[in-house]
Structures are given as structure tokens and as C-alpha cells.
Amino acid sequence: METDETPRVLPFQLQFDKPVASQIKIAEWNPEKDLLAMVTEDSKILLHRFNWQRLWTIFPGRCITSLCWRPDGKAIAVGLEDGTISLHDVENGKLLRSLKSHTVAVVSLNWEEDGQVIKDDSVNNSTYEDRTSRFFPPAPRVPRMPGLAPGDTGFMDDSDDSFRELSNSSYQRFNILCSGDKDGSICFSIFGIFPIGKINIHNLSIPTPFATQPATCRLSHASISKVALSKDLCHLIVMCSGELNHDEVESAERQLGMHGCHCLRLDTSIFWKRKNELHQVAQQASNIEDLIEVIRASLSVMSKQWSDAMHTFREKFDSLSSLIIDHGLDSSPQEEFLSLLGGARTSPPVHQFLVNSLGESGVKRVSKVVCGAGKELQHVVLDHLQPAAEIIGFRMGELRGLSRWRTRFQGIGLDETLINNATEKSGILLVQVERFMRVLSSVVQQFLYDQDHVKPFLELSEVDIEPDMETLQRVKELVHFGGFSDCDFLRRTLAEEFKQMESSFKEAFLMPFTTISRKMLCKDVLPLFALPSSSASVSVSVPISVTYYKDASTSVSSYLTHEHGFIDYISFQIPGDSSSNIANCIGISRRFMHSLSNSSIEESASLEAVLLSVPDGYHCVDLSLYKEGQIVLLLNESTSASECSGESCMMIVQADDLPFVSIPRSGCINTWNLDQLKDSVTHLRLENEKVRNIPHSVAAPLAVGASRGVACVFAARKRALVYILDEDEDDVSDGE
């Protein structure tokens, strides 16, 4: 056995051997920095530098089922068991955004940005500038609820710009966060924050493009293992396990379908074709949704502040009205209260009230509480609610202009009628804010506390506000001059108006979501290997890795992805209990995206695959596709008596050196494609010079960082071993 002290010969340098507090179940290297994010068995997220210095630890409070980095490495997406996806800041782990895209556990996350860099301006490569910053100061923050310390509300602090940077996507490359759950649903979010589509693999009509007669099939009892967008965002590869059946098969015969692991190819080219339009809509809509949360929180804070103040007032002064009536006076409680505050002589009932209740100083304290609440409400409106409503109005105006460009934006579902309605609702809200400020000012100045005129505006009141008839008539006359078509807005409260505006926004933004969802279709299916029928309703977990390598050949033609020269590589372990004849092998396929039925496509475009037989006495724990066409394999001894004993090894295989075999595609789905390779299996040998023995039994995951050329392996004894994969990386510092 080789040890770390062996003079040379070792292909990988052991950089660190560090203890970990708990067993790690998920690990991912940052794509841009030397940072490793790890998820423990008890669902804590740890972020470490390359030198193993821990930067932060967070605990979402729910079971973590998946994790991935934003392409620029500035944020991390976390999939939870309840279907929530949370985005966290890389600097401090703070929660930036939370999306409830799914209803069950999110088992796979993939965040991909548009990798296309076009220098020719004549090509469809328009840039988009968000003009809002030209006319408005930075957007307001969510107001903090009185009595809470910073961070207690779950919102970002005013001093933290991470949340604003997440929403300001005008400087980012167009990117898509793709998420898959255990029930087969796949969701898409632009910049990770604006939902733009959702499909379910059970509802897909899957074509068999190589069939002599048009035929389709469907998946049942399927569970997603992996989702991976191509570099140009035009294709989505979905690895799943389930039962594949012909649509034409009668229901009684459906049980004869193929149960196993399948690979689907979905057409997501709408993201590439309409990326500029989608970028603009997502930029405006995501910022509008942020501002809606500001208004919602502002109304909540204002309602609580005013309710607390009026409770204090009524608690002290409710008995004053009955005292005035008992003494037969004509004055009102407001008049008596103003006389008292002004230093005038008190009437007998007020004198009795003061003696029995709170005293003159107590009256002034109550007055200060109520006046202070009124001023606080004014500050919330001026600093948070009103600026948010104004920016929403401007952004809706921008969307309104885009919706009128039908040739470009109608195809992504930006409906002019719905946008016009939402724009009007945002304008009406501004009028309601101004109206509320006038009512609040009059109440605070005149102490009209016996009849609360403020509270109805802050609640979803069932009783309509009745404006005077003259005002209503003038509002109706303004319709002819471009005024609001909804003439009943003066009958509604501020809170009710906000509810209607939010509803109109949801309706307007649902249309692009629905339109894009309908345009994502399944184009191909690749049955890989069979699984025991006993696992039909159980999610099968096998090591899987999907990535895209540059094609080094010079014969790359236009059938390749729009980024020119990228080929998909799909690597997976065939489990030992597989019912096929190729158990305990590793399968690698490539060019699945380009294996089209068009006979004019040259030979290089056909689907190719290779089977690698794991050495005797070993089984594959995990695998990862690495840079420059390399595959990293993590193998454990199968003969060890316990999980913690025994040895393991890490191996790198060069994909270009493997004897890939072209696989003829058949229109019949009752054929496992990899079974065609069982007579040409390539046997892996430990004598390979790219093998490193590890004196521990290891467990998944295998975390490979392509930017630095490192791999982190987790031993069964709660140890983390970091290896340098590239031989030329001898000069590795301990810093970031």
C-alpha cells in the first residue's frame, strides 16, 4: 500500500487531512473561489476556505436535500425537504431570498449561465440597461418591526448590499436556476429569483425520434436524480428512474414497461432565443416583487404601531365619555382633551377622571404616545411605502412599453392587457398613499381619537369608504382624459388597494410563466439500464455526473450547441443489483444532445458510449466529471468487514482515451441501449498511473473543484482529505 510518505510516484498530492464534526452528505466547491460548502447529516451548512478555515455555519432548521453555487460564486442555492429553495450570501451565509417552488423535497439543483460570448454586435446580443437608477435613489428597505433587534425579522440589515445586488441583475450574464424534486417536477428561475417555468416529467409526451412510425411514450412512478442545463441553455438533460411505457400500450399491459434509469433530453431553446427579452422582464418583475414585500411589511408595521397607540389611548380614556354624559355636558372627549393639554381649567368630569385615573402628567404621556405613533406612520410612509410605490409605478411603465412591442415580447407571454391593468393598479395605489397621508395628518393634528379614521385604511375593511358624490363624479369625468378606468378606488382602503394591485401583478406575471412552460418539450429518451421491479416506487440513488466539455476536434459543425464546440458527457454507476448483465460497471455516454434522426448529420454526431468495469473487490462510491475530459472515480474495497475499515482509491480516467462505441438508436423503447456494449467492456486496472490509494474507507460525496484542480474526499471516520489533482499545482497556498 502506498502511503503519504512515499517519495514520488504518487499522482495526487495530499494537501490536508482534517477532522469534520459530523458526516458530510453534500459538498460543492465554489466555481470562482477556493471555498468548499458542505452539508452535514444534521443539515448544517459549513463554508470552509481551502486551508480549512471555517468562515460560517448556518442551520436552516429543515432537512437539506441539495445544494449548488451561482455561476459567479457570490450566492449559494439550498434545496430543502419541504420544497423550499433558499439563497444565501457567500460572504456571511445570510438569507437573501426564499422561493417555495416545490411541494416536496428538492433533490437536484443546477445553476447555469449563458456561456455564449459573441463579439459581433450584428448578432442577437443586445444589452439591457436598467434605467430606474437614473430617476430614483436606491430602492427602500423593508422597515423593521418595532421592538425587534436587527435580523430578527429575517430581512437583510440596511447596511448589507447583498440583497440589492441579488435583485440588480442588469450587470449579470443571463442565468437560469433549475431545480428538480422527488415527484418529478422541474422548476426554472431566472437569476434564481424570478420563476419562469415548471414542468413535470410524468406529463411529458416523450417521442421516439428513431422510430419508423411516429410513436410516443410516458414515464410513470418516476423520480429525478439529476438535472443539468447545457452551456447555451438550449437543452436540459434529466436523469431519472421510473417505468417507461408506450402510449399505445393498453392499460392492462403497461406493467410490462421498462423500469430502470433513463435519460431525457428537453428542448429549452426558448431561454437562448429569447434571453434578452426574458432578461428585461425578469429584471423588472423581480424588483417589483421585492418592492411589494416592502409595501407589505410597511402596512404590517404601521398597523401594529397604530393599534398599540390606540389601545393605550382607549385603555385610559374610554371612561371619559360616560363621565361627560353623566354630568350633562355638551363638550366632546376631544374638546376636553385639548383643553387639558392646552392648560385650560378642567371641567368637573375631567377633574374627577384625572383624580381617579392617571393624573395630568399621565395625560401628556398618552398624548405623546399617540402623536409619536402618528409621526412614526408618516416616517414609514415617506421612507418606505411611498418610494416603493413610486418605483413600482415606474417599472410597470417600463414593462408596459415592452408589452407593446408584440413581435418580441408576445412570444414570451407578456400580455399588453394584463400589464396595462397592473400599471393602472400601481397608479391607484400612489393616489391611495397620498390620500392616507392627508387623513393621518388631520387625525394627528386635531386629535380625532374617539373615532379612528386611520385604522380602516390599514386593514382589509369589509365596509366600503363612502366618498362624496362630487368627487366620484369628477373621477368618472377624468376617464375620458386618460384617468383610471376603475372609478371605485375611492371606496377602498389602502390595504385593500394593495391586495388588488398584488393580485393584478400575479396575473400579469403568470402569463410568461405559463407560456414558457408550454414551450419546453421532451425531444428524446435514452433508456440506460434496468432496475429491479421491487424498487419501482423507491428513489434509487446512484452516483451520477453530467457536464459539458469542449470538443477539441476540428470537425465541429453547426449541429452542436450554440456555444459551438461543447459536447455533453453523462457518467453514472450501474448498481450491483441491476437486473441487466452489466452490473458494477460505470457507463459514460456522450453526444446525447446531438444524436438526431436526420440522416444528413455526419457520423461524429451519433450517440457514443463506453462501459468501464470496476476492478474486482471494489465498488464505486461516487464519481465526478472533471475538466479537460477527465473523470474522477472514488472506489471502496468491497471486502472490508465494516464500513469504517478497509481501504479505497481515487482514480482519474481520460475520456478521450476511452474506446467509445457508436450506439445505433432504435425506435423501440424495449431496448436497453447500454446492453449493446456488454461484449466490449473496458476493464479498469489499479496499475493505472493515475490511481491514488487512500488508507481509509471513504463515503460519498466526492467534491471536485475544477477551478483549483482539487478533490475533497470524506473518510468514514469523519475525516476530510483534500488532494491536488493537477500535477502542475505544486505551488498551492493556504489562502483563499
Side-chain angles (χ1 to χ4, degrees):
M1 180 188 72
E2 292 178 304
T3 63
D4 297 337
E5 288 74 27
T6 305
R8 181 71 183 98
V9 182
L10 298 181
F12 312 125
Q13 175 188 348
L14 177 63
Q15 190 71 12
F16 298 111
D17 183 350
K18 300 287 186 179
V20 288
S22 177
Q23 194 63 42
I24 303 299
K25 63 178 182 179
I26 305 173
E28 294 285 345
W29 286 97
N30 187 297
E32 296 293 332
K33 303 178 182 179
D34 294 328
L35 302 173
L36 178 64
M38 297 173 286
V39 179
T40 62
E41 286 291 345
D42 54 354
S43 288
K44 292 179 181 177
I45 305 177
L46 317 176
L47 187 70
H48 283 240
R49 292 182 184 271
F50 180 77
N51 62 2
W52 216 247
Q53 174 193 359
R54 185 180 299 185
L55 298 181
W56 47 257
T57 302
I58 59 174
F59 180 51
R62 287 158 289 178
C63 179
I64 299 174
T65 51
S66 53
L67 177 145
C68 77
W69 287 96
R70 196 169 79 175
D72 62 4
K74 294 182 178 180
I76 189 168
V78 179
L80 304 177
E81 191 175 35
D82 64 353
T84 302
I85 300 174
S86 59
L87 307 183
H88 297 265
D89 182 20
V90 66
E91 296 295 333
N92 46 35
K94 284 188 176 181
L95 179 66
L96 301 176
R97 183 71 66 93
S98 184
L99 299 174
K100 193 70 167 65
S101 304
H102 302 265
T103 57
V104 294
V106 181
V107 295
S108 180
L109 288 168
N110 175 235
W111 207 334
E112 197 66 56
E113 70 178 2
D114 176 27
Q116 186 181 32
V117 180
I118 301 178
K119 298 181 180 180
D120 185 3
D121 293 335
S122 64
V123 185
N124 182 23
N125 190 37
S126 63
T127 58
Y128 171 61
E129 177 192 4
D130 184 2
R131 302 189 304 165
T132 310
S133 58
R134 293 188 185 181
F135 307 101
F136 294 91
R141 300 284 185 158
V142 172
R144 188 172 295 124
M145 188 68 74
L148 292 180
D152 288 349
T153 61
F155 300 117
M156 300 299 294
D157 294 336
D158 289 341
S159 59
D160 200 320
D161 291 330
S162 302
F163 185 81
R164 182 176 290 125
E165 181 180 317
L166 181 72
S167 298
N168 181 20
S169 55
S170 57
Y171 68 93
Q172 294 184 40
R173 274 189 183 179
F174 184 73
N175 60 70
I176 299 285
L177 174 62
C178 179
S179 56
D181 66 34
K182 69 176 185 179
D183 282 353
S185 292
I186 303 173
C187 296
F188 304 85
S189 300
I190 299 177
F191 304 116
I193 57 178
F194 181 63
I196 196 58
K198 184 175 184 178
I199 58 174
N200 191 291
I201 59 176
H202 295 100
N203 301 329
L204 293 174
S205 179
I206 305 172
T208 53
F210 295 89
T212 55
Q213 297 292 332
T216 58
C217 51
R218 290 186 183 274
L219 276 168
S220 60
H221 308 294
S223 178
I224 292 175
S225 303
K226 189 84 172 177
V227 292
L229 276 167
S230 60
K231 298 291 184 182
D232 58 0
L233 310 180
C234 285
H235 305 276
L236 175 71
I237 289 179
V238 181
M239 302 290 289
C240 61
S241 59
E243 188 170 303
L244 193 62
N245 296 281
H246 273 299
D247 274 347
E248 292 76 11
V249 177
E250 296 295 332
S251 58
E253 301 177 6
R254 282 186 177 272
Q255 300 303 320
L256 300 177
M258 303 174 66
H259 178 73
C261 185
H262 311 281
C263 184
L264 305 179
R265 177 172 65 86
L266 275 63
D267 179 9
T268 58
S269 58
I270 184 68
F271 293 138
W272 185 83
K273 295 174 182 176
R274 297 292 186 179
K275 62 184 176 182
N276 294 316
E277 293 87 344
L278 290 171
H279 188 156
Q280 295 178 58
V281 172
Q283 170 73 36
Q284 299 294 352
S286 59
N287 277 277
I288 287 172
E289 290 180 350
D290 292 342
L291 295 167
I292 284 176
E293 292 304 316
V294 173
I295 295 178
R296 189 196 318 280
S298 298
L299 291 173
S300 178
V301 169
M302 291 161 61
S303 179
K304 185 179 187 310
Q305 286 183 325
W306 188 253
S307 177
D308 291 347
M310 294 309 296
H311 176 75
T312 302
F313 178 82
R314 291 197 175 95
E315 188 179 36
K316 301 297 183 182
F317 284 91
D318 272 355
S319 60
L320 182 57
S321 297
S322 59
L323 285 173
I324 291 175
I325 296 173
D326 292 343
H327 284 74
L329 299 179
D330 296 329
S331 58
S332 66
Q334 302 106 293
E335 292 171 341
E336 294 290 345
F337 186 49
L338 288 171
S339 298
L340 181 63
L341 290 176
R345 188 173 180 178
T346 59
S347 62
V350 176
H351 180 76
Q352 181 182 347
F353 172 73
L354 292 175
V355 171
N356 297 336
S357 298
L358 73 165
E360 187 174 350
S361 60
V363 173
K364 293 183 178 180
R365 284 197 299 270
V366 172
S367 174
K368 185 177 181 181
V369 168
V370 178
C371 290
K375 292 179 180 178
E376 284 299 320
L377 261 63
Q378 290 175 334
H379 284 309
V380 172
V381 172
L382 295 175
D383 296 342
H384 301 276
L385 195 154
Q386 188 170 2
E390 290 173 349
I391 298 176
I392 285 177
F394 178 83
R395 290 191 178 277
M396 285 307 306
E398 295 280 89
L399 284 175
R400 187 180 186 182
L402 296 178
S403 68
R404 293 182 175 181
W405 195 350
R406 296 188 183 94
T407 55
R408 287 190 61 183
F409 290 90
Q410 197 172 40
I412 64 169
L414 199 64
D415 185 87
E416 184 178 358
T417 302
L418 296 177
I419 293 295
N420 285 342
N421 179 55
T423 305
E424 177 172 297
K425 293 297 183 184
S426 65
I428 292 176
L429 182 70
L430 277 171
V431 175
Q432 293 282 34
V433 171
E434 180 64 27
R435 182 188 182 195
F436 172 78
M437 286 294 287
R438 292 185 181 183
V439 172
L440 178 63
S441 179
S442 64
V443 169
V444 172
Q445 293 175 8
Q446 300 175 27
F447 299 99
L448 302 175
Y449 303 137
D450 63 328
Q451 184 178 356
D452 193 345
H453 297 275
V454 175
K455 183 179 179 181
F457 279 87
L458 300 176
E459 296 181 350
L460 294 174
S461 177
E462 297 181 359
V463 181
D464 291 339
I465 299 174
E466 288 296 337
D468 61 274
M469 297 304 297
E470 183 181 354
T471 303
L472 283 176
Q473 184 60 33
R474 290 182 178 179
V475 168
K476 292 179 180 179
E477 292 173 356
L478 288 174
V479 175
H480 302 289
F481 302 96
F484 300 131
S485 60
D486 180 2
C487 300
D488 293 330
F489 68 90
L490 291 177
R491 301 180 186 273
R492 296 191 291 267
T493 66
L494 178 61
E496 179 65 28
E497 199 64 62
F498 169 70
K499 180 182 178 182
Q500 289 205 10
M501 183 190 75
E502 185 181 19
S503 177
S504 69
F505 287 170
K506 287 181 178 179
E507 186 179 11
F509 297 151
L510 181 62
M511 187 61 71
F513 181 91
T514 305
T515 302
I516 298 300
S517 299
R518 290 172 179 168
K519 293 185 182 238
M520 289 185 286
L521 305 174
C522 184
K523 292 297 184 181
D524 199 0
V525 59
L526 178 65
L528 297 176
F529 56 85
L531 290 171
S533 57
S534 59
S535 62
S537 59
V538 181
S539 176
V540 179
S541 177
V542 296
I544 294 174
S545 185
V546 182
T547 194
Y548 303 87
Y549 293 141
K550 285 186 178 180
D551 188 359
S553 66
T554 57
S555 60
V556 179
S557 54
S558 60
Y559 67 82
L560 292 178
T561 68
H562 291 90
E563 174 148 6
H564 303 302
F566 275 89
I567 302 177
D568 58 284
Y569 276 75
I570 305 168
S571 182
F572 49 90
Q573 178 206 18
I574 301 172
D577 58 353
S578 172
S579 59
S580 66
N581 298 321
I582 51 176
N584 202 29
C585 285
I586 295 169
I588 305 172
S589 68
R590 66 183 181 186
R591 302 185 188 276
F592 175 48
M593 290 194 308
H594 318 304
S595 56
L596 307 178
S597 57
N598 191 338
S599 59
S600 64
I601 295 177
E602 49 264 56
E603 185 74 15
S604 60
S606 63
L607 175 69
E608 298 176 332
V610 64
L611 283 180
L612 306 178
S613 178
V614 176
D616 292 338
Y618 284 86
H619 66 275
C620 181
V621 175
D622 204 355
L623 53 84
S624 178
L625 291 162
Y626 183 46
K627 63 182 180 181
E628 298 174 357
Q630 297 176 332
I631 297 118
V632 183
L633 306 177
L634 190 61
L635 308 178
N636 247 355
E637 275 190 341
S638 303
T639 56
S640 52
S642 68
E643 182 181 333
C644 297
S645 62
E647 297 182 354
S648 57
C649 67
M650 183 167 56
M651 176 187 301
I652 285 189
V653 179
Q654 187 68 39
D656 294 339
D657 297 338
L658 297 175
F660 280 92
V661 177
S662 179
I663 298 183
R665 301 298 303 278
S666 170
C668 177
I669 64 168
N670 296 321
T671 302
W672 295 105
N673 288 276
L674 295 185
D675 280 344
Q676 304 173 44
L677 301 176
K678 59 186 178 182
D679 295 329
S680 57
V681 175
T682 299
H683 294 273
L684 296 176
R685 301 186 182 279
L686 295 181
E687 293 77 15
N688 187 308
E689 63 177 7
K690 280 288 187 178
V691 174
R692 171 66 182 251
N693 289 333
I694 302 173
H696 309 282
S697 178
V698 294
L702 166 66
V704 176
S707 62
R708 188 65 178 258
V710 294
C712 185
V713 176
F714 298 95
R717 297 180 182 273
K718 295 184 180 180
R719 306 289 300 181
L721 294 81
V722 179
Y723 291 92
I724 306 298
L725 297 180
D726 295 338
E727 294 181 353
D728 55 350
E729 293 280 351
D730 297 331
D731 221 4
V732 180
S733 64
D734 293 343
E736 180 178 339

